[in-house]
């Protein structure tokens, strides 16, 4: 009789619950580690560039030059770390990393500015970190352009021609994350990444543990089917994972201040689907590995590509098409879209159904492959 038998399934569930109770370290990993990782990465993973250390060589000390320096400081992107008096000092500070930017105001700055003559300021930027370099360059250009427009308006007013009229304007509105804070974007992604890694590792040891402890023989002589065994093993971990997910969700929402704009019930429901998928992925690893060390190595071999290909760190649209297809084999790819869609945009299932279908398809695929891989025999 090959159909699913609930009694056999529940017997596996009860056995696994007892195993979880006895294995306190694994339970601690499932409950404590997600919170610890969320706090750690929540503060560490930040792509906002602020307080770039800047050296200033002001060769034309005056109210006008100090006003220019103040405009840099008031953006909160730059912070004056030192006042210098030579290129040699600037080179030394750029070399040892004490500053990343040097603003050089020439000796004729004030005189030319007062005469409304063209005048340049120089900025030296440490390009070893492209993110800092791009931010410093764009902010410096905006500041100088604003200063140039202000000076031009002052010149026209002195000539009695009124204010400078702009022929073209830009009304920019940033939706979903108006302040463009990286933490608002990162926290939903971190929740998905952490839950994937923790839950997958938990079940990656499941069947391997049975082999190493010699209890696989007891399972072999029972009439339990592979489907009943696998679903029975992941069911308790779904409950543990869901509880852990709710904890990190509360921390992300109330501690880091990233509210959920969409439906909480939809988020929890789709999170259960994701937990089942990652737990089954761990079971699949467990059917392939022969030792717990191999299972750990396989799990970590999957974690790194999932970070790179899922869109957690880099936009998937900028990746080659083939790499995007490979990323489609990572369940985190779909769950990140779901998390950010519900967290930031407040969208419903009508906007997320493609990601739900993709994740469901992966779930069924990995379940089928794991069942085919599992053999009720001692290798």
């Amino acid at each position: 009789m090959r159909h699913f038998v609930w009694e056999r399934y529940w017997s596996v569930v009860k056995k696994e619950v007892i195993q979880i109770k006895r294995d306190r370290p694994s339970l601690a990993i499932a409950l404590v580690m997600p919170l610890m990782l969320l706090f750690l990465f929540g503060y560490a993973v930040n792509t906002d560039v602020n307080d770039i250390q800047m050296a200033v060589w002001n060769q034309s000390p005056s109210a006008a030059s100090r006003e220019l320096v103040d405009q840099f400081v008031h953006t909160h992107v730059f912070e004056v770390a030192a006042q210098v008096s030579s290129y040699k000092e600037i080179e030394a500070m750029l070399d040892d990393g004490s500053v990343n930017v040097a603003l050089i105001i020439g000796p004729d700055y004030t005189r030319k500015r007062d005469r409304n003559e063209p005048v340049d300021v120089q900025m030296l930027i440490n390009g070893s970190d492209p993110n800092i370099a791009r931010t410093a360059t764009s902010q410096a250009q905006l500041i100088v352009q604003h200063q140039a427009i202000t000076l031009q308006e002052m010149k026209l007013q002195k000539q009695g021609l009124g204010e400078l009229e702009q022929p073209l304007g830009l009304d920019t509105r940033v939706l979903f994350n108006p302040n463009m804070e990286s933490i608002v974007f990162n926290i939903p992604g971190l929740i998905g990444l952490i839950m994937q890694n923790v839950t997958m590792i938990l079940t990656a040891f499941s069947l391997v543990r049975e082999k190493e402890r010699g209890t696989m023989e007891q399972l072999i002589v029972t009439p339990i089917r592979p489907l009943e065994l696998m679903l029975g093993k992941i069911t308790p971990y779904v409950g543990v994972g869901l509880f852990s997910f709710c904890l990190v969700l509360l921390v992300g929402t109330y501690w880091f201040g990233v509210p959920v704009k969409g439906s909480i019930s939809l988020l929890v429901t789709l999170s259960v689907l994701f937990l089942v998928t990652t737990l089954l992925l761990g079971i699949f690893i467990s059917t392939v590995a022969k030792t717990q060390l191999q299972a750990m190595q396989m799990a970590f071999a999957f974690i790194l590509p999932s970070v790179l290909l899922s869109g957690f760190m880099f936009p998937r649209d900028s990746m080659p098409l083939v790499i995007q297809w490979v990323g489609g084999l990572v369940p985190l790819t779909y769950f990140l879209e779901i998390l950010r869609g519900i967290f930031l945009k407040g969208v419903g299932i009508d906007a997320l159904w493609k990601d739900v279908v993709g994740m469901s398809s992966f779930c069924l695929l990995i379940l089928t492959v794991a069942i085919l891989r599992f053999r009720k025999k001692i290798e």
Side-chain angles (χ1 to χ4, degrees):
M1 193 172 184
R2 304 187 63 84
H3 62 277
F4 191 91
V5 178
W6 285 100
E7 289 78 5
R8 296 197 294 251
Y9 161 75
W10 281 113
S11 66
V12 178
V13 173
K14 293 175 183 177
K15 173 184 176 300
E16 203 64 25
V17 169
I18 294 172
Q19 182 65 46
I20 291 174
K21 290 180 179 179
R22 292 176 178 175
D23 191 2
R24 297 292 179 85
S26 296
L27 186 60
I29 288 174
L31 297 179
V32 178
M33 186 173 288
L35 287 174
M36 183 180 68
L37 292 176
L38 184 64
F39 277 111
L40 179 63
F41 290 116
Y43 286 109
V45 180
N46 189 342
T47 56
D48 292 335
V49 179
N50 297 310
D51 298 328
I52 298 175
Q53 299 300 294
M54 179 176 68
V56 177
W57 184 11
N58 187 355
Q59 303 173 67
S60 178
S62 65
S65 61
R66 288 191 293 271
E67 178 187 354
L68 178 63
V69 174
D70 289 342
Q71 288 187 9
F72 278 85
V73 174
H74 290 161
T75 63
H76 300 292
V77 174
F78 301 96
E79 180 180 357
V80 177
Q83 298 281 350
V84 298
S85 57
S86 68
Y87 274 108
K88 187 175 181 180
E89 289 183 69
I90 291 174
E91 290 175 356
M93 298 185 76
L94 288 173
D95 288 342
D96 64 22
S98 55
V99 299
N100 285 306
V101 168
L103 177 65
I104 302 171
I105 302 175
D108 56 353
Y109 174 80
T110 302
R111 177 176 56 81
K112 287 187 175 182
R113 182 184 183 276
D114 292 342
R115 294 180 180 180
N116 293 315
E117 297 177 1
V119 57
D120 291 330
V121 293
Q122 185 180 20
M123 175 168 279
L124 302 180
I125 300 173
N126 176 11
S128 59
D129 188 331
N131 193 31
I132 292 177
R134 281 192 293 265
T135 302
T137 301
S138 61
Q139 286 293 328
Q141 289 174 344
L142 289 174
I143 292 169
V144 172
Q145 288 172 3
H146 179 267
Q147 182 73 354
I149 292 174
T150 301
L151 293 175
Q152 189 66 21
E153 289 179 343
M154 292 172 59
K155 179 180 179 181
L156 292 175
Q157 288 176 359
K158 288 181 179 179
Q159 295 175 354
L161 299 177
E163 295 184 355
L164 179 67
E165 294 185 3
Q166 298 291 333
L168 178 65
L170 177 65
D171 181 14
T172 303
R173 300 181 184 181
V174 180
L175 306 179
F176 311 130
N177 186 8
N179 296 326
M180 293 184 286
E181 299 173 292
S182 64
I183 194 171
V184 175
F185 178 78
N186 288 336
I187 289 297
L190 283 171
I191 291 175
L193 179 65
I194 291 169
M195 296 311 302
Q196 171 199 264
N197 298 347
V198 172
T199 54
M200 183 175 63
I201 289 174
L202 286 175
T203 52
F205 300 145
S206 184
L207 295 177
V208 179
R209 190 187 300 118
E210 302 280 2
K211 297 175 187 177
E212 292 187 345
R213 292 179 178 177
T215 55
M216 181 62 78
E217 294 89 338
Q218 299 175 12
L219 291 174
I220 290 173
V221 298
T222 65
I224 295 176
R225 300 288 177 185
L227 179 61
E228 298 162 354
L229 176 63
M230 292 178 186
L231 294 184
K233 278 189 167 294
I234 71 168
T235 298
Y237 289 108
V238 171
V240 173
L242 183 59
F243 179 76
S244 184
F245 173 80
C246 291
L247 286 180
V248 295
L249 179 62
L250 288 173
V251 171
T253 300
Y254 292 103
W255 183 271
F256 289 100
V258 184
V260 181
K261 294 183 179 179
S263 169
I264 297 290
S265 59
L266 178 62
L267 177 61
V268 172
T269 301
L270 297 181
S271 299
V272 172
L273 174 61
F274 177 70
L275 290 173
V276 171
T277 303
T278 55
L279 290 169
L280 285 173
L281 185 59
I283 289 288
F284 168 71
I285 292 173
S286 193
T287 63
V288 176
K290 295 182 179 180
T291 65
Q292 293 192 53
L293 178 59
Q294 287 184 1
M296 175 69 76
Q297 291 171 338
M298 291 180 184
F300 278 103
F302 181 84
I303 288 173
L304 181 58
S306 69
V307 173
L308 299 176
L309 302 179
S310 63
F312 173 75
M313 293 184 63
F314 310 108
R316 297 188 71 244
D317 292 340
S318 62
M319 299 178 186
L321 190 58
V322 174
I323 301 299
Q324 293 185 37
W325 291 341
V326 175
L329 300 177
V330 178
L332 184 61
T333 300
Y334 306 106
F335 193 51
L336 289 184
E337 293 294 330
I338 291 171
L339 282 170
R340 288 166 177 162
I342 296 177
F343 259 92
L344 305 181
K345 301 178 184 178
V347 298
I349 193 67
D350 55 328
L352 301 173
W353 68 269
K354 291 182 180 179
D355 298 299
V356 174
V357 170
M359 191 162 60
S360 302
S361 301
F362 185 90
C363 181
L364 293 175
L365 174 64
I366 203 67
L367 175 61
T368 303
V369 174
I371 291 174
L372 295 175
R373 279 285 315 169
F374 178 75
R375 296 291 183 270
K376 287 179 57 176
K377 63 181 180 181
I378 303 177
E379 296 182 356

